Amino acid sequence: MKIFLDSANLVEIKEAVSWGAIDGVTTNPSLVSKEQQDFFELLRTICEIVNGPVSMETISKDAAGMAQEGRQFSALHPNIIVKCPLTKEGLKATRQLASEHIRVNVTLCFSPSQALLAAKAGAFYVSPFIGRLDDISNDGMQLIRQIKTIYANYRFPTQILVASVRHPIHVVEAAQIGADIATMPFGTLEALIRHPLTDIGLERFLKDWERLPQSARNLINPNVGSLAKAVR
Ligand code: E4P
């Protein structure tokens, strides 16, 4: 499963890239507005940092406007994916942009029937928002299972991008189901790394290392270079 960072913050994106952890980025108008920067400049910079797909959402309400914005976004960088909402107008825009070979991420998906229509319209990605479903006492992960079955039954090429991910269990379950991608905020990505036993284990190893006499703790072995040369 690919991992995307759900953020428009350059510090977070650079840090996640440095861990080799992310395959792409998703943004939305709420995330972009937090950054208070020129929008196109920000989008271009994100694309330069990330070697993978970067989703940005259209803000028009009608299909013609969404398609127009989508063309503008995609002209900015080859990694751009245009996000259109799962409305009638969004589906029309998806169909139009897909016919122009522009990749669309159909966003704000909350039901299997919506996901079916996104695939039929030619979506490259569909983004089911599982955390927001959990928030209203629905089982968000069940939606991922349903979409997975529907897409497999009819061999739809649309990829399932699990969105509104809130914690590591969401990520692990999405991977077990076989979702294509999970996008998550920086805090959740960090939480994937942390384990108390890793911290305790590392502390113990380093303490034990200190027990070695100082003279035996030289990590730079003068013989290693000559040995490597001899082997070659
Ligand atoms: C996905 O593309 C969305 O930007 C995102 O996952 C929404 O998450 P939220 O429900 O935490 O805002």
Side-chain angles (χ1 to χ4, degrees), residues 143-229:
L143 174 59
I144 305 304
R145 288 186 202 96
Q146 289 172 309
I147 300 173
K148 182 80 188 162
T149 303
I150 293 168
Y151 285 7
N153 284 349
Y154 301 101
R155 297 197 175 90
F156 283 118
T158 305
Q159 295 179 43
I160 305 170
L161 195 171
V162 181
S164 189
V165 163
R166 301 273 160 82
H167 49 69
I169 294 173
H170 274 156
V171 180
V172 172
E173 286 186 359
Q176 283 173 324
I177 294 167
D180 300 283
I181 307 141
T183 188
M184 64 204 72
F186 187 78
T188 307
L189 186 67
E190 263 188 325
L192 294 183
I193 302 172
R194 281 195 299 268
H195 197 289
L197 290 179
T198 304
D199 298 340
I200 293 167
L202 181 62
E203 204 185 321
R204 194 179 301 158
F205 284 155
L206 295 181
K207 263 196 194 130
D208 289 346
W209 176 255
E210 296 295 314
R211 292 210 191 99
L212 200 61
Q214 178 71 45
S215 57
R217 273 192 244 155
N218 187 4
L219 285 173
I220 301 159
N221 186 338
N223 298 321
V224 169
S226 52
L227 194 70
K229 266 182 220 148

Side-chain angles (χ1 to χ4, degrees), residues 99-157:
S99 77
E100 297 172 27
H101 306 288
I102 293 174
R103 293 173 300 174
V104 179
N105 174 355
V106 175
T107 189
L108 290 166
C109 171
F110 292 95
S111 76
S113 57
Q114 287 182 317
L116 174 62
L117 293 179
K120 290 185 76 69
F124 187 71
Y125 296 143
V126 67
S127 287
F129 277 39
I130 59 167
R132 294 192 194 186
L133 280 170
D134 288 354
D135 289 346
I136 57 158
S137 302
N138 283 9
D139 181 358
M141 206 50 77
Q142 179 58 13
L143 174 59
I144 305 304
R145 288 186 202 96
Q146 289 172 309
I147 300 173
K148 182 80 188 162
T149 303
I150 293 168
Y151 285 7
N153 284 349
Y154 301 101
R155 297 197 175 90
F156 283 118

Side-chain angles (χ1 to χ4, degrees), residues 12-171:
E12 290 181 350
I13 295 170
K14 279 182 194 158
E15 180 66 13
V17 166
S18 77
W19 303 340
I22 59 164
D23 304 291
V25 162
T26 50
T27 69
N28 62 39
S30 309
L31 293 170
V32 167
S33 82
K34 277 195 209 161
E35 302 309 314
Q36 294 290 305
Q37 281 185 44
D38 178 81
F39 165 67
F40 279 111
E41 198 47 50
L42 179 63
L43 203 53
R44 201 177 293 115
T45 312
I46 294 173
C47 289
E48 277 159 16
I49 300 170
V50 180
N51 186 17
V54 175
S55 291
M56 183 52 212
E57 194 157 339
T58 56
I59 43 118
S60 288
K61 288 190 179 151
D62 63 303
M66 289 179 205
Q68 188 52 38
E69 286 168 26
R71 288 182 199 108
Q72 259 184 288
F73 294 170
S74 81
L76 213 59
H77 197 281
N79 287 352
I80 294 279
I81 311 277
V82 178
K83 264 177 154 182
C84 293
L86 223 157
T87 59
K88 286 180 201 166
E89 294 301 303
L91 290 175
K92 278 187 214 168
T94 300
R95 182 166 176 261
Q96 178 57 39
L97 290 168
S99 77
E100 297 172 27
H101 306 288
I102 293 174
R103 293 173 300 174
V104 179
N105 174 355
V106 175
T107 189
L108 290 166
C109 171
F110 292 95
S111 76
S113 57
Q114 287 182 317
L116 174 62
L117 293 179
K120 290 185 76 69
F124 187 71
Y125 296 143
V126 67
S127 287
F129 277 39
I130 59 167
R132 294 192 194 186
L133 280 170
D134 288 354
D135 289 346
I136 57 158
S137 302
N138 283 9
D139 181 358
M141 206 50 77
Q142 179 58 13
L143 174 59
I144 305 304
R145 288 186 202 96
Q146 289 172 309
I147 300 173
K148 182 80 188 162
T149 303
I150 293 168
Y151 285 7
N153 284 349
Y154 301 101
R155 297 197 175 90
F156 283 118
T158 305
Q159 295 179 43
I160 305 170
L161 195 171
V162 181
S164 189
V165 163
R166 301 273 160 82
H167 49 69
I169 294 173
H170 274 156
V171 180

